[in-house]
Amino acid sequence: MNNNQNPQIGQFVQIIRGRDAGQYAVIVGIVDSKFVLLADGDKRKFDQPKKKNLIHLQLQPTISSEVVNSLDESGRVTNGKLRFAISKFIETTAIHVEKGE
């Protein structure tokens, strides 16, 4: 697993352990070196992020600039923006997988 890189706010992750395994989410907070706060705007809202151990996550190489900008500007991000960012990310990832990249 590639957990040697540091998680960043706005980074996409795939959950690989727990009830939400297989789902994608966005890092909306960093607790410490082991834990991050995740939200997907759907089951896991920004106001009640899920605290997740990094060993249960697969960090994706993509960071959502929309989420980062929104957090920088107002300290929060709307659930709609989270859902949109994740669906856009999944769409572009699926296209790469189909092409075999």
Side-chain angles (χ1 to χ4, degrees), residues 11-28:
Q11 187 169 14
F12 293 100
V13 298
Q14 184 172 22
I15 300 165
I16 49 178
R17 285 264 191 298
R19 193 181 340 168
D20 301 326
Q23 302 284 329
Y24 287 94
V26 179
I27 297 175
V28 294

Side-chain angles (χ1 to χ4, degrees), residues 2-72:
N2 55 352
N3 284 338
N4 49 4
Q5 78 253 51
N6 292 327
Q8 294 180 26
I9 300 281
Q11 187 169 14
F12 293 100
V13 298
Q14 184 172 22
I15 300 165
I16 49 178
R17 285 264 191 298
R19 193 181 340 168
D20 301 326
Q23 302 284 329
Y24 287 94
V26 179
I27 297 175
V28 294
I30 294 172
V31 180
D32 55 28
S33 62
K34 284 194 169 93
F35 290 94
V36 294
L37 299 175
L38 300 179
D40 63 8
D42 184 19
K43 291 193 295 288
R44 194 45 78 176
K45 305 284 195 242
F46 176 77
D47 292 328
Q48 295 183 315
K50 173 83 175 144
K51 184 178 172 187
K52 208 68 174 139
N53 191 322
L54 281 170
I55 62 173
H56 295 166
L57 301 173
Q58 188 169 30
L59 297 174
Q60 303 297 309
T62 313
I63 292 175
S64 168
S65 54
E66 288 112 334
V67 172
V68 174
N69 293 342
S70 183
L71 284 167
D72 283 349

